[in-house]
């Protein structure tokens, strides 16, 4: 398909719907599906990597002795992806969607190659930051292109294809992660390193496919790149995320923490000033925030992103750490989430396409996500797997209904000439929410887990039978590596839980579960906030079919 296969109407500029408004590209259903095949492969690359890393992260962190620092591996990716996302929107408006999308794939592959040879948890986090620079473009540009070639009402129908990508990666990712993470070596290289190295040939395949199928007309838009805004945003965001990760060990009111608070606030203030000065060229154009639907969509993406990313990270950790599952088994155990997500997304997409209504699905989706968090907050060490599955079904259904409707809400009133910047901006807020959720939830978890495990161990040692078990050679050795002479705990490596007696491991498991309950309660409160916003602030409008 070439540029002549489709026609574009109107010119850039002017109000939405006016004669000078740049309208979307008109493609047939067959042409849209052809374009989607290229987008889906690019998104599959990023989505598969996230699922594989999530399922194998505990194994990676144990091998690199960085269990409590594992948040950096996820947040580093999210931080750079978050900052790069708005830039991709601008760059694609200037240079076209395809060349910028291809550049994102190449950058993602380069970061993956570096990750495959990381020597420490912090080095891995640094290389994941490089990977995130590419990953941010793979996600946001795909959604931008869909918005380019479909009407608001049609969008839900085609977003079902994108959900199928995430569903497929959710099934395949844990299997791939499990196969690699459970192998000591493969071709002389640590098994888990192949989780990243396998991305290189997949990226090469994605480049070939996209060069073949992704041909849509490009109407250049004149933009200056807002490098100052990107720099100010990084100065504002990174210190605050460092505090979220390190606050538990530094002390939330320590001198270092206060310094980073000040730097972060100053960076965010500078970002707002730069954006006002840049006008239409701003990284996050201020004029978009005058559109009520966009404001609400951005806010909901941020709030729901906190809960979504936090739950997606903690649930595999619960299954592996508390229930003793392998990465592969834990991935397969999350299938209820995948099935519910795919089913609900496809149904909601068709309903939106037929009726043009989306608020009812948005509210139901966020309500379902809130119920999932409440179920997870009541999990115990001995909770049956079917009970965990109930929470997974609520979470999958909630995300399936909520995420596509929030994106549709944010895009619904945005002029077509601003679609690249607007879609990148809402993805920016979702990524920011995910970064905050990941860093804050893991920080809460490990801040609480150590003291609670210590209290439970102290209480257990009052039982003579527990003391005798703990003093047996098979248990005493691993415990000596974890329990410090002063009574503190070294929780950097959790592998010992698989080797000691189950009764000796019980205080550790109960301590972790107690901390996770607090984290999921926090997630429930965040989801409730999103539900209140959706019910009382989102208008019940009908989407345009044009």
């Amino acid at each position: 398909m070439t540029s002549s296969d489709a026609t574009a109407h109107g010119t850039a500029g002017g109000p939405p719907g006016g004669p000078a408004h740049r309208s979307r590209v008109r493609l047939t259903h067959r042409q849209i599906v052809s374009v989607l095949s290229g987008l889906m492969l690019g998104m599959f690359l990023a989505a598969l990597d996230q699922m594989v890393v999530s399922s194998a992260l505990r194994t990676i962190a144990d091998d690199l002795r960085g269990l409590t620092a594992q948040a950096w591996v996820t947040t580093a990716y999210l931080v750079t992806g978050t900052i790069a996302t708005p830039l991709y929107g601008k760059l694609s408006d200037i240079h076209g969607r395809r060349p910028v999308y291809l550049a994102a794939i190449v950058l993602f592959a380069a970061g993956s190659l570096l990750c495959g040879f990381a020597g420490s948890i912090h080095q891995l986090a640094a290389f994941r930051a490089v990977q995130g620079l590419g990953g941010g473009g793979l996600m946001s540009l795909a959604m931008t292109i869909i918005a380019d070639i479909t009407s608001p009402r049609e969008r839900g129908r085609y977003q079902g294809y994108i959900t199928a990508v995430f569903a497929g990666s959710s099934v395949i990712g844990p299997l791939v992660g499990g196969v690699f993470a459970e192998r000591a070596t493969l071709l002389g290289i640590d098994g888990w390193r192949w989780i990243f190295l396998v991305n290189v040939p997949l990226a090469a395949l994605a480049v070939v496919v996209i060069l073949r199928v992704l041909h849509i007309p490009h109407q250049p838009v004149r933009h200056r790149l807002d490098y100052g805004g990107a720099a100010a945003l990084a100065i504002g965001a990174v210190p605050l995320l460092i505090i979220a990760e390190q606050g538990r060990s530094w002390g939330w009111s320590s001198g270092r923490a206060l310094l980073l608070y000040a730097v972060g606030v100053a960076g965010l203030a500078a970002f707002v000033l730069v954006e006002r000065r840049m006008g239409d060229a701003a990284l996050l154009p201020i004029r978009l925030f005058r559109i009520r639907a966009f404001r609400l969509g951005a806010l909901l993406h941020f709030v729901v992103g906190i809960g979504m990313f936090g739950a997606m990270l903690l649930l595999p950790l619960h299954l592996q750490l508390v229930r003793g599952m392998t990465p592969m088994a834990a991935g397969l155990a999350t299938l209820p989430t995948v099935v519910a997500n795919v089913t609900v997304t496809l149904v909601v997409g068709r309903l939106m396409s037929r009726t043009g209504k989306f608020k009812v699905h948005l509210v139901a989706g966020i309500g379902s996500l809130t119920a999932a968090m409440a179920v997870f907050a009541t999990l115990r060490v001995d909770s049956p797997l079917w009970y965990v599955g109930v929470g997974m079904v609520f979470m999958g259904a909630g995300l399936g209904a909520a995420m596509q409707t929030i994106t549709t809400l944010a895009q619904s009133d945005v002029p077509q000439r601003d679609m690249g910047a607007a879609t990148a901006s809402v993805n920016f807020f979702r990524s920011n929410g995910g970064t905050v959720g990941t860093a804050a939830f893991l920080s809460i978890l490990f801040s609480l887990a150590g003291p609670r495990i210590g209290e439970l161990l102290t209480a257990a040692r009052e039982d003579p039978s527990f003391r005798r078990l703990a003093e047996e050679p098979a248990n005493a050795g691993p415990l000596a590596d974890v329990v410090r002479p002063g009574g503190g705990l070294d929780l950097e490596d959790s592998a010992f839980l698989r080797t000691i007696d189950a009764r000796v491991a019980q205080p550790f498991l109960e301590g972790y579960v107690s901390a996770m309950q607090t984290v999921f309660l926090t997630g429930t409160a965040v989801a409730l906030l999103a539900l209140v916003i959706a019910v009382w602030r989102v208008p019940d409008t009908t989407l345009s079919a044009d």
Side-chain angles (χ1 to χ4, degrees), residues 21 50 76 87 121 142 187 200 202 208 262 291 296 328 347 357 380 395 442-444 470 514 524 533 543:
H21 176 240
Q50 288 187 19
L87 284 174
I121 197 74
L187 300 179
V200 178
L202 288 176
V208 171
I291 302 172
L296 289 169
M328 184 184 297
V347 170
K357 295 290 187 179
R380 304 187 307 273
M395 185 169 77
L442 284 178
S443 181
I444 294 170
S514 175
T524 304
I533 295 171
L543 295 171

Side-chain angles (χ1 to χ4, degrees), residues 131-347:
Q131 203 182 23
L133 289 172
L138 294 180
M139 295 296 181
S140 66
L141 286 177
M143 300 307 295
T144 299
I145 294 168
I146 291 173
D148 284 340
I149 60 179
T150 62
S151 70
R153 185 176 289 194
E154 293 174 323
R155 222 158 279 161
R157 176 185 178 188
Y158 292 108
Q159 281 173 347
Y161 290 86
I162 300 303
T163 299
V165 170
F166 284 96
S169 67
S170 298
V171 175
I172 298 171
L175 296 176
V176 174
V179 168
F180 288 139
E182 292 169 22
R183 291 184 68 99
T185 60
L186 181 63
L187 300 179
I189 299 175
D190 292 336
W192 64 262
R193 297 183 185 276
W194 286 98
I195 288 171
F196 301 103
L197 296 177
V198 76
N199 287 334
V200 178
L202 288 176
L205 175 62
V207 167
V208 171
V209 172
I210 288 169
L211 283 173
R212 186 177 181 85
V213 306
L214 188 55
H215 298 279
I216 58 175
H218 171 55
Q219 298 178 359
V221 177
R222 290 189 175 185
H223 280 314
R224 289 181 297 158
L225 290 180
D226 185 11
Y227 294 113
L233 180 61
I235 293 171
V238 172
L240 298 178
L241 291 168
I242 291 174
I243 294 171
E245 168 60 23
Q246 296 293 327
R248 67 180 187 274
S249 57
W250 292 354
W252 300 104
S253 58
S254 66
R256 281 184 290 185
L258 292 174
L259 175 62
L260 289 180
Y261 287 139
V263 173
V265 171
L268 294 178
F271 175 70
V272 172
L273 293 175
V274 170
E275 298 307 274
R276 288 184 177 277
R277 182 173 57 83
M278 292 296 292
D280 288 352
L283 197 65
L284 297 180
I286 299 299
R287 69 174 183 277
L288 290 177
F289 292 91
R290 300 190 188 103
I291 302 172
R292 184 186 180 206
F294 176 83
R295 287 199 308 271
L296 289 169
L299 177 60
L300 284 172
H301 261 306
F302 178 79
V303 178
V304 173
I306 292 174
M308 178 181 73
F309 281 90
M312 290 173 66
L313 190 69
L314 282 180
L315 193 55
L317 195 61
H318 171 87
L319 294 172
Q320 294 178 53
L321 199 60
V322 178
R323 305 188 71 91
M325 291 184 176
T326 63
M328 184 184 297
L332 291 173
T334 61
L335 281 177
T337 302
V338 179
V339 173
N341 185 272
V342 173
T343 303
V344 172
T345 299
L346 294 175
V347 170

Side-chain angles (χ1 to χ4, degrees), residues 472-491:
E472 290 179 1
N475 300 319
L479 285 176
D481 293 333
V482 175
V483 182
R484 294 168 179 159
L489 297 171
D490 180 359
L491 299 178

